[in-house]
Every structure is written in structure tokens, then in C-alpha cells.
Amino acid sequence: MTPIPLVLAGARGHGRWHLDNILRLQRAGLVRLVGVCELRPLDAAERDGVGDVAQSADFAALLEATDARIAVICTPIDTHTPLALTAARHGAHILLEKPPAPSWAEFRRMADGVRRAGTACQIGFQSLGSHALPAIAELVADGAIGSLRGIGAAGAWVRDEAYFRRAPWAGKRRLDDGTDVVDGVLTNPLAHAVATALALDGSPHAEDVTGIELDLARANDIEADDTSCVRITTARGTPVTVAVTLCAERPGEPYVIVHGSHGRITFWYKQDRVLVQRAGHGPVETLHGRTDLLENLIAHLRGGDDLLVPPHRTGAFMRLVEAVRTAPDPRPLPEGSWYADGNRRVVKGIDGLVHASADTLSLFAELESSP
């Protein structure tokens, strides 16, 4: 088949991962990179392996000049909606990096505009392409761990002060002109923990959320939250808790636990690794494959495969984004609760707290020694 012409908006930072993935698919003959949109053109070293493709800071002009059929958008959060709508107006199908938008209103504007244009849109929650998700769903449906009691997620990551200075919008709730950004730990760096936990409950849609309890905090000198937890109640009656931090004592792999009356299933979603522990059986660990979301978008365009993460399947996550956006500013943690370790801040005991939250489905305030 003829490779599909594709443009990439945002080729630096996390965009480099997308660029490498696009080049992989180009070598496989599935796509052809025809343009890169960056405010500053890629230099010779950054173009290594890319070839002499069109470059422009004007996304609309680039789409027009290249006649691209796919646009991969990995740009600042506040630009997601306008760039997605620009791509849709030019008839380009979209892979849009998460979070899809900084507010519910912008999300609806994006999703409705893309739908009216008749273009496909995939949201970049890569963990939702894991083959572990249907495998876990089948185990739960078959009663392998008894009745579902709740789902807990934990993420303990380490980020230094440079991480919060990497871009003008980093660590911000909104820009100086009032534009929403909502670059908090729940909504951006560990957003996959939220989206994956909701997916495992079978509750990805906006109408699946019936309640949200938030505890937003920060140890770093930023606007947004870096150490937070949330309990989302779904229409199925499931409590879904997510406890995350960027101020861990030691970095660890984020995971989600599905709690049942007779066992539990732990899913390390970055590794596609699953551990089943249940009464009367020994522990069973399995590794699963993963469908790349850009490949899935291509298969959708060529063969009609269902999209794995269309916008409506991120509605529940966007309810959480909106709750964070409209919540009071995150509470600053007192200096005695954290300490400096070189160029980063560490919250005392936070590793144990995020794990305890996932184990007990509790908010920080409900646990001893909460930050």
C-alpha cells in the first residue's frame, strides 16, 4: 500500500518519541513523514534519519503544502484544541497527545469540531493499547478474583526542578493571560494512571463518573500539584483511587491494582506486566503485547479497525481534569514534610503513602502520616 503522508507538530521533548516511532513506521512502509512543525527548525543533528522534509512554524501552511492525511500533535497542552481543529479543517486525521485539552469546554470544542469535520482522532494514552486490558477484563468477568471491590493506582516518580522549568507552561495551572494549562501530576505526567484505572473499571466515558474527591498538594515552588490523590466514584459503584507524586524517595514503576473479594490483579502499565494473586492459587505473572496507537489509527483508516482511544473514551479522564482545573490551588506542603536532595524535593514517607492508598483505596487524609 502507498505510505500515508504524515506531519508531526512538536518534535522535541516527548515529541522525539513520536518522531522515532514515525520513522519506525516509515521504514515499515506504513507512513511517509512529509513535514515537521516547530517554532525553531530542527538542526542537522536533530534531522538525522529524518531526511529533507518540509519544516514550518505555521501548522496550517504546512498541512496545506504537504497535503498530509495524518497529523501527530505533541505540543503544549493549551494548543491541543486549536491545532487539532486546524488539522481537521484540512482533512487530516489526528493522533493527539494526552491530555487532550486543559478544560472540559476545550475538550468538547475539539471533539465536536473533529466529529463535524469527519476526521478520525486518537488520543495518545499509549497504555490503553496494552493487550493486558482485555485480559484483565476477562479475568474479572470470569470471577477469578471474586466480586470487584475497587481499583487503586499508585505512581511514585522523581522529577528535579529543571523539569518544572522546561517550558513556560510547565508546572502551571494557567498562563499569565489566564489560558488554562493544568499541568499537574494527575493530569499530565501520571495521567496514564488515571486513564488506565478508569479503563479497567470499564468506565472511560464522561457519564461514567458520579463523584470526584480531590487532595491536591505541592512540595515544589510551582502553581500546579506534584503530590496528589483522587477518589473517583463510577456509575458502577466502584471507588477508583489514584495516588501519585513527582517527589518520591525512590522512583518506581506506576501500577494499578484491581481489588476483588477473593484476590487482586496488579498491572504495571508501562511494562504490560500483570500479576494475579487469588485465594487457593499460586501467584501468576504474565507479560502482554501492545498495539501502537498510531498503527491503530492507520489500521482504522485503511481497514476500518476500531480506534482504541477516540475522544469519547477519554471523557471520564476529562471530568477529572475539569475537577482539578476548578479546584482551589494545591496546598503547599510545609517545609518539615519535605527535604531537598540536590536539585529536587522529596516528600518524607510519600512512597509508602501512595502504595498504601492503592492498597486500601484511601485518600492521603485517611492514612496515617499524610503529607
Side-chain angles (χ1 to χ4, degrees), residues 244-293:
V244 288
T245 186
L246 300 178
C247 306
E249 295 160 309
R250 286 171 294 278
E253 284 293 331
Y255 60 88
V256 181
I257 302 174
V258 182
H259 295 272
S261 57
H262 301 300
R264 61 164 55 181
I265 302 170
T266 306
F267 176 34
W268 289 269
Y269 59 80
K270 287 178 64 69
Q271 302 175 330
D272 300 307
R273 180 163 60 99
V274 175
L275 175 65
V276 181
Q277 299 165 289
R278 51 181 173 158
H281 298 76
V284 176
E285 185 170 314
T286 53
L287 287 174
H288 298 262
R290 177 179 292 205
T291 298
D292 177 75
L293 296 185

Side-chain angles (χ1 to χ4, degrees), residues 40-115:
R40 177 171 51 84
L42 301 182
D43 60 30
E46 292 170 319
R47 290 199 310 272
D48 184 34
V50 174
D52 188 20
V53 302
Q55 295 197 64
S56 175
D58 187 329
F59 188 49
L62 187 65
L63 290 166
E64 186 72 29
T66 60
D67 199 26
R69 287 194 59 218
I70 295 177
V72 177
I73 299 171
C74 184
T75 56
I77 301 166
D78 62 296
T79 68
H80 284 185
T81 291
L83 291 183
L85 293 177
T86 297
R89 283 194 297 271
H90 284 79
H93 306 283
I94 303 155
L95 174 61
L96 180 63
E97 187 52 66
K98 61 78 189 164
S103 70
W104 179 255
E106 284 292 275
F107 172 69
R108 286 279 20 119
R109 189 164 75 92
M110 180 276 295
D112 293 343
V114 167
R115 176 180 49 78

Side-chain angles (χ1 to χ4, degrees), residues 202-233:
S203 300
H205 305 106
E207 59 270 24
D208 294 328
V209 174
T210 60
I212 297 177
E213 302 167 78
L214 278 172
D215 184 355
L216 306 178
R218 59 174 179 83
N220 285 277
D221 184 18
I222 58 175
E223 290 182 4
D225 55 303
D226 60 34
T227 301
S228 297
C229 63
V230 62
R231 181 160 52 216
I232 302 169
T233 304

